[in-house]
Amino acid sequence: MEYFNYIEHYFDMASAVPFFLVSLAGLIFVMGVILALARIRQEIDRHGASSAATADEANAVDIDAGTRPQSRTRHQYADRIDDRLNGREHWPDTDPATETRPHSRARRPLLDPVDTRPHEFIESFYEMAFASTSILLLLSLYYIIGDRINLHTVSKVWNQYKDWVLIGFLLVSMLVDRIFDRVLVPLRYISAQKRGSVRLMASIYVMLILMYIRFIYEDYNYENLILYFVMLVIGRLVYFDVTWDGFRNDCLGLFRNLPVLLLMSAYSATVVWYGFTSGFLMKANGVIVSTLIAHLFMDICIFLFDRSHIFGLFLR
């Protein structure tokens, strides 16, 4: 009966709609920050390109017009026109400047390369949200089974195999994340290497959430999970056959995704704070479950925002 009360509470439109609007407003603000950063970077690149072009023009050496073969041909063509006007020659059918290449085709101008970095930044943020949601989904299930199901048989099996269950849940979270970024919002610009770096950063992000629950709410049930994620991150960076280049690239990937972590942390902290303050999110069903619900709302906002294609209008 308690679970039905939770379901009825979260589907109450009087409290769910304002929470959704706050989540959407927070996402719009984050997208605005990303757009501003993308515009600043484009202006810096454009200024650098124009400076380089000006320097090339200043260093260019003008060729003597008298030594240009095409100029001589043009003068010859003018003389032939004068001969024709005086009745000494018929009009030529073509310009001699182009007679040597009768079948040549005009080359098309090269297209300007498309700057995909803003799209990669956006999709890195999306991947951070999806990866953290998939991990929180399985951790919430892990929490519910361990703390809320009091059946004797289940508790006995759980105490014996819960570590293996946790590993299995984390493996399943990879599949759930794959569904998110392939079905919910297909990611087209971010590479597999960057996707792996973002997922590693998502593990750090979830670890920060667990540490917040542990030390702010003084919940000692998450100490083993925190230790597990710490070892998971260390194992991802330092493994048996790691090379210095691999370790350096992984660290650089984390450093480059640091702005994504900061934006995601600020966004989720604002949404979760509003949820607890307004009473929509409840601590009674577990802080990690409430955090999962907040992330699900955030994912819905990302889906609607991506389907609207609003952000693409500002990147043209």
Side-chain angles (χ1 to χ4, degrees):
M1 184 63 64
E2 181 181 3
Y3 297 105
F4 290 104
N5 294 333
Y6 289 143
I7 295 175
E8 184 179 359
H9 171 78
Y10 288 123
F11 280 92
D12 183 11
M13 294 295 103
S15 56
V17 172
F19 183 77
F20 170 77
L21 293 178
V22 170
S23 302
L24 183 60
L27 178 64
I28 293 175
F29 177 79
V30 170
M31 293 294 110
V33 173
I34 295 177
L35 176 62
L37 294 176
R39 286 299 185 187
I40 292 174
R41 177 176 289 180
Q42 288 176 349
E43 289 299 327
I44 293 175
D45 293 343
R46 187 179 295 110
H47 178 73
S50 61
S51 300
T54 304
D56 292 340
E57 292 178 358
N59 295 330
V61 179
D62 190 12
I63 302 176
D64 186 9
T67 61
R68 294 176 182 173
Q70 185 174 351
S71 300
R72 292 199 304 269
T73 307
R74 291 294 182 184
H75 288 302
Q76 294 173 2
Y77 186 59
D79 294 338
R80 293 175 64 184
I81 293 177
D82 183 68
D83 293 340
R84 193 273 173 194
L85 292 175
N86 295 325
R88 294 191 298 270
E89 186 178 349
H90 295 289
W91 277 103
D93 294 333
T94 59
D95 186 347
T98 60
E99 285 180 350
T100 57
R101 293 183 299 173
H103 300 291
S104 62
R105 297 181 180 178
R107 293 185 178 181
R108 296 182 179 179
L110 295 177
L111 297 178
D112 294 333
V114 178
D115 188 6
T116 61
R117 289 175 298 180
H119 299 279
E120 293 177 0
F121 198 171
I122 296 171
E123 292 191 354
S124 296
F125 181 81
Y126 290 171
E127 179 65 24
M128 173 72 79
F130 296 153
S132 57
T133 301
S134 62
I135 296 175
L136 289 173
L137 178 63
L138 276 301
L139 289 183
S140 298
L141 181 59
Y142 181 87
Y143 166 79
I144 292 173
I145 295 175
D147 289 358
R148 298 305 175 94
I149 298 180
N150 298 321
L151 296 178
H152 177 71
T153 305
V154 175
S155 299
K156 183 178 180 180
V157 175
W158 178 257
N159 292 330
Q160 186 175 0
Y161 297 103
K162 62 181 181 179
D163 294 334
W164 294 101
V165 172
L166 177 60
I167 296 175
F169 279 178
L170 292 177
L171 293 176
V172 174
S173 69
M174 297 172 57
L175 300 177
V176 176
D177 177 48
R178 199 63 172 171
I179 294 174
F180 278 137
D181 58 28
R182 283 297 184 94
V183 178
L184 187 65
V185 178
L187 305 183
R188 303 179 179 87
Y189 294 94
I190 185 172
S191 63
Q193 183 179 3
K194 293 182 179 179
R195 196 192 305 264
S197 298
V198 174
R199 288 175 179 172
L200 178 60
M201 187 63 79
S203 300
I204 298 176
Y205 168 72
V206 173
M207 182 179 65
L208 294 177
I209 294 177
L210 296 176
M211 293 177 65
Y212 174 82
I213 298 174
R214 162 63 181 85
F215 293 104
I216 300 300
Y217 294 97
E218 296 183 354
D219 192 337
Y220 297 93
N221 295 324
Y222 297 97
E223 287 186 342
N224 292 333
L225 292 178
I226 294 173
L227 180 61
Y228 187 87
F229 273 94
V230 169
M231 298 304 297
L232 184 66
V233 172
I234 294 176
R236 175 64 175 81
L237 295 175
V238 182
Y239 44 91
F240 178 73
D241 55 346
V242 64
T243 61
W244 171 249
D245 291 337
F247 176 76
R248 183 184 61 181
N249 291 333
D250 290 336
C251 292
L252 288 176
L254 291 178
F255 178 76
R256 290 167 183 167
N257 289 311
L258 188 60
V260 181
L261 175 63
L262 297 177
L263 286 175
M264 189 65 200
S265 300
Y267 178 38
S268 62
T270 303
V271 173
V272 171
W273 173 83
Y274 174 79
F276 284 129
T277 304
S278 63
F280 179 73
L281 298 179
M282 298 183 297
K283 301 175 184 178
N285 63 341
V287 179
I288 192 169
V289 177
S290 298
T291 306
L292 168 66
I293 294 173
H295 279 74
L296 291 176
F297 272 82
M298 292 155 57
D299 293 338
I300 294 174
C301 293
I302 289 175
F303 171 77
L304 296 177
F305 192 87
D306 181 77
R307 287 295 184 269
S308 65
H309 302 288
I310 295 177
F311 200 83
L313 298 176
F314 296 95
L315 295 178
R316 293 180 178 179

